């Protein structure tokens, strides 16, 4: 694998770091949101679900533009950055993580929400009649039963973070070792006519996408079987 | 011990259904909630469990209040065992871990003995299933595991929502004996929702009759079966269930003598031990009336009794309620006779008659735990 330049290796490492961190954050934050969306009867749960789903249809440049404002010196991101004497979160790795979380949120929340909804009230009622507190029922019944949803949420969240391009360009730029992830690297190689590097990366990402989609299909098959 | 009582009263609507049901029943033996589909039995049971919450509700078990105007104990704090219509086992846990999910909680005050794992496995015949996944069990096996799981949570009250209705005939016959053994070996009060009179005649001690969200009547099973104002006595298959004690057994003829209040029945039997309690069932259509003791006949049971009431059933039949004994103060029987015979013999309430009982059936498998 010495065929790849050190710069490419840096981009690969950075991409994996970004996607892993984003996925972990999304599972921790997304699970309670998905739980609430699946079980609440409040009228404003659908408007909130809609806000979470918006990155699905918004052009990445639009989302990127708003994120740039939010992360910049005059937005909340700038205030947070001020805590460690920086001016802005834009064009930083931290900013990229925040952007990725927002962008990939629907891909994680939706499958988990579906899994929570599909299992219905019954398992939780059974748990309650067996003296399980709501907290215990969540961890010992709801989460294990929704495991396929967590699995596909994690896979989709990871894959979409790896594949994002427009937002990275808007809020991250292309700073090697900080914000230059694979999708941006491919773009740069094409710009500078480094076809060999571009070819290898593009093929690698195509294979990655193939594996992800195949894995998703297999997980869904398993869910359908278990749901019988 | 006579004071232990379950009080339940729920009023309100669930979706478009309105419920206004109140009853009291002793906190011992099996109380059946009975009525046509959609009459609110299941809702009442869910309210007792705290799974549904109606605004106007009161529920107290044995002096302990679970719900009143100002308080509502959440389900997981109520010492209940709940068996749903479908077994609803946790699919991600093996049978053993399903059984143990609710076990290990604190033992309830006032409960003499903890229900032990080995005991339940033995009682319900689960030993061979312990390491299996729920999806590899038959319907009957699943429901047995669900019953065991509920028992092992050490409940002070069992709630069972038509636990047999989702099963076929064969699986039902497989589980009923377990329920009967349960009833004998554990002194655990049970509220049992059913719409099948067969199950009730086998299992129930008390009955709560419901219709259209309301309680029509509540009381001991035999009293409601023989109440002329209730629909039970008017059905084609009207019958009374009596808990009798075996007085003697004639092995030569294979006939047992059973004592109930106010009379004795001779019943063909294979083997019964004197002193044993057995539940017997007598159909109204198997009882005919005579105004005097006739010539000797092959009918085993001719019992002096008194007509308490006679109510028309349809156009041409009369359903009579009899009290056993010359004074008519013993156990009650139902007799279905034609209106023609009724008029011919000049029968009326208050008259002394002889009840000729063509058939007395043992409720299959059951030995009643009731000692009167």
């Amino acid at each position: 694998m010495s065929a790849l330049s050190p710069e490419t290796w840096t981009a690969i490492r950075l991409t994996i770091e970004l996607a892993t961190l984003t996925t972990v954050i999304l599972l921790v934050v997304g699970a309670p949101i998905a739980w609430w969306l699946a079980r609440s009867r409040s009228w404003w749960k659908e408007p909130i679900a809609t806000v979470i789903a918006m990155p699905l249809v918004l052009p990445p440049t639009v989302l990127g533009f708003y994120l740039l404002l939010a992360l910049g010196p005059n937005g909340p991101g700038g205030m947070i950055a001020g805590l460690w004497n920086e001016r802005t979160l834009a064009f930083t790795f931290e900013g990229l993580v925040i952007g990725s979380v927002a962008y990939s949120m629907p891909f994680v929340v939706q499958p988990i929400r579906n899994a929570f909804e599909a299992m219905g009230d019954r398992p939780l009622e059974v748990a309650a009649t067996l003296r399980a507190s709501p907290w215990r029922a969540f961890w010992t019944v709801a989460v294990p039963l929704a495991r396929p949803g967590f699995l596909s949420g994690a896979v989709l969240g990871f894959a979409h973070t790896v594949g994002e391009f427009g937002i990275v360009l808007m809020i991250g730029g292309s700073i090697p070792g900080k914000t230059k992830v694979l999708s941006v690297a491919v773009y740069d190689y094409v710009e500078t006519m480094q076809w060999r590097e571009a070819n290898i990366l593009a093929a690698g990402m195509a294979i990655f996408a193939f594996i992800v989609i195949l894995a998703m299909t297999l997980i869904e098959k398993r869910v359908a079987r278990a749901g019988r | 011990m006579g004071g232990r009582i379950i009080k339940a009263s729920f009023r309100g609507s669930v979706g478009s259904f309105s419920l206004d049901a109140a009853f009291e029943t002793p906190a011992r033996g099996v109380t059946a909630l009975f009525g046509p589909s959609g009459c609110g039995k299941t809702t009442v049971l869910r309210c007792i469990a705290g799974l549904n919450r109606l605004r106007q509700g009161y529920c107290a078990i044995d002096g302990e209040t679970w719900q009143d105007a100002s308080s509502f104990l959440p389900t997981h704090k109520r010492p209940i065992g709940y068996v749903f219509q479908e077994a609803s086992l946790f699919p991600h846990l093996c049978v053993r871990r399903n059984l143990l999910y609710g076990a290990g909680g604190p033992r309830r005050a006032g409960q003499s003995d903890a229900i032990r794992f080995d005991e339940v496995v033995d009682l319900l015949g689960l030993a061979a299933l312990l390491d299996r996944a729920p999806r590899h069990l038959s319907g009957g096996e699943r429901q047995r595991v669900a019953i065991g799981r509920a028992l092992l949570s050490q409940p002070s009250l069992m709630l069972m929502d038509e636990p047999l209705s989702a099963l076929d005939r064969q699986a039902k016959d497989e589980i009923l004996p377990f329920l009967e053994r349960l009833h004998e070996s554990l002194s655990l009060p049970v509220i049992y929702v059913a719409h099948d009179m067969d199950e009730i005649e086998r299992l129930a001690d008390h009955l709560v009759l419901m219709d259209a969200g309301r309680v029509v009547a509540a009381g001991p099973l035999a009293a409601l079966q023989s109440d002329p104002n209730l629909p039970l006595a008017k059905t084609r298959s009207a019958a009374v269930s009596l808990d009798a004690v075996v007085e003697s057994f004639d092995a030569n003829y294979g006939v047992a003598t059973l004592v109930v209040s106010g009379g004795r029945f001779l019943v063909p039997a294979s083997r019964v031990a004197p002193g044993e309690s057995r539940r017997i069932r007598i159909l109204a259509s198997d009882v005919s009336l005579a105004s005097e003791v006739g010539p000797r006949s092959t009918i085993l049971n001719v019992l002096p009794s008194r007509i308490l009431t006679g109510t028309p059933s349809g156009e041409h039949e009369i359903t009579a309620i009899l009290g056993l004994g010359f004074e008519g103060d013993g156990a009650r029987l139902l007799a279905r006779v034609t209106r023609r015979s009724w008029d011919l013999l000049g029968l009326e309430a208050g008259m002394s008659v002889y009840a000729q009982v063509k058939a007395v059936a043992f409720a299959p498998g059951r030995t009643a735990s009731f000692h009167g």
Side-chain angles (χ1 to χ4, degrees), chain A residues 122-134 136-137 140-141 144-145 226, chain B residues 46 51 75-76 78-80 82 84 86 88 90-92 101-102 149 153-155:
Chain A
R122 181 53 60 81
L124 300 166
E125 289 184 352
V126 172
T129 65
L130 294 168
R131 309 291 176 276
S133 64
R136 178 171 177 235
T140 58
V141 176
L145 288 183
Chain B
R46 290 178 59 86
L51 293 170
T75 300
H76 69 275
R78 300 188 183 198
I80 51 162
Y82 200 109
F84 293 85
E86 318 79 30
S88 310
F90 296 127
H92 61 295
Y101 186 87
R149 181 175 66 175
S153 71
Q154 312 298 338

Side-chain angles (χ1 to χ4, degrees), chain B residues 227-229 233-234 309-314 317-321 335-336 342:
Chain B
D227 185 331
N229 300 314
K234 293 170 187 157
T309 62
T311 337
S313 293
E317 285 184 327
I318 304 278
T319 300
I321 289 161
R336 175 80 38 87
W342 181 268

Side-chain angles (χ1 to χ4, degrees), chain B residues 25-33 183-184 186 188-190 192 199-208 218-225 241-243 279 366-371:
Chain B
T25 189
R28 64 182 153 74
V30 176
T31 298
L33 293 180
H183 184 281
E184 289 156 37
L186 303 172
L188 182 61
V190 178
Y192 189 102
E199 281 170 35
I200 288 176
E201 282 169 355
R202 284 177 75 161
L203 295 170
D205 301 306
H206 312 278
L207 193 58
V208 176
L221 174 64
L224 267 57
Q225 281 175 322
S241 305
L242 302 173
D243 289 317
R279 175 168 286 192
R366 165 157 174 148
T367 54
S369 60
F370 172 77
H371 299 282

Side-chain angles (χ1 to χ4, degrees), chain A residues 36-37 42-54 113:
Chain A
W36 181 75
L37 290 175
S42 145
W43 66 268
W44 44 288
K45 82 171 184 184
E46 290 310 335
I48 289 199
T50 308
V51 170
I52 291 170
M54 274 170 72
R113 175 187 179 176

Side-chain angles (χ1 to χ4, degrees), chain A residues 107-192:
Chain A
F107 299 96
V108 177
V109 167
Q110 198 54 47
I112 300 178
R113 175 187 179 176
N114 288 347
F116 281 147
E117 278 174 352
M119 93 193 152
D121 291 343
R122 181 53 60 81
L124 300 166
E125 289 184 352
V126 172
T129 65
L130 294 168
R131 309 291 176 276
S133 64
W135 179 251
R136 178 171 177 235
F138 177 79
W139 286 107
T140 58
V141 176
V143 170
L145 288 183
R147 205 178 56 178
F150 278 93
L151 208 55
S152 46
V155 171
L156 279 178
F158 189 90
H160 272 264
T161 306
V162 169
E164 85 182 63
F165 173 70
I167 290 179
V168 180
L169 218 55
M170 292 287 287
I171 65 172
S174 177
I175 304 165
K178 272 176 84 179
T179 62
K180 186 171 183 174
V181 293
L182 276 176
S183 57
V184 176
V186 174
Y187 181 76
D188 280 358
Y189 287 134
V190 173
E191 283 272 273
T192 55

